[in-house]
Amino acid sequence: IEFAELTHDFGTIIQGGDGNYEFVFKNTGKEPLIINNVRSSCGCTTPKWSSEPIKKGEKSSIKVGYNTRIVGSFNKTITVYSNASNSVVTLTIKGNVKPAENPQQ
């Protein structure tokens, strides 16, 4: 399994903004790649992935969503378990959520 990147920096996000990112990977092995499990370091990060085997040479992705209602800086890991020779891969998302400004009334 070969990821295009292992870390994504959101930079600064306004509270309640878009905290979604898609980690793209390719099956560089000779057999179908099976993602067995994907775990995040906390409940504020939700990963989604396909349970279908990825054929050799094909690409797929793991979608990660961070809860941007939580204000402050974050650095979270997502651990990917598969049947690849590098069977455990750690992905990282980081950034800083700033409070949304209240509109003038």
Side-chain angles (χ1 to χ4, degrees):
I1 187 167
E2 185 177 297
F3 282 88
E5 61 182 331
L6 298 175
T7 301
H8 177 70
D9 187 347
F10 284 98
T12 301
I13 305 171
I14 300 300
Q15 185 177 16
D18 183 12
N20 295 304
Y21 187 73
E22 196 168 347
F23 284 96
V24 176
F25 64 88
K26 182 176 182 178
N27 178 0
T28 56
K30 296 177 180 160
E31 301 295 325
L33 175 66
I34 299 167
I35 304 295
N36 300 318
N37 198 3
V38 180
R39 296 187 123 166
S40 64
S41 58
C42 80
C44 57
T45 307
T46 53
K48 293 181 183 175
W49 69 98
S50 173
S51 59
E52 295 295 315
I54 297 96
K55 294 177 183 166
K56 116 177 162 175
E58 288 190 356
K59 290 184 179 181
S60 189
S61 66
I62 295 173
K63 296 174 182 165
V64 178
Y66 179 75
N67 181 356
T68 59
R69 290 181 300 215
I70 303 168
V71 174
S73 62
F74 63 93
N75 189 341
K76 305 295 177 187
T77 58
I78 301 94
T79 308
V80 181
Y81 301 90
S82 73
N83 67 335
S85 58
N86 55 332
S87 61
V88 180
V89 176
T90 302
L91 307 173
T92 304
I93 57 169
K94 60 185 178 177
N96 185 32
V97 179
K98 287 194 142 191
E101 293 184 25
N102 294 331
Q104 300 290 335
Q105 295 189 4

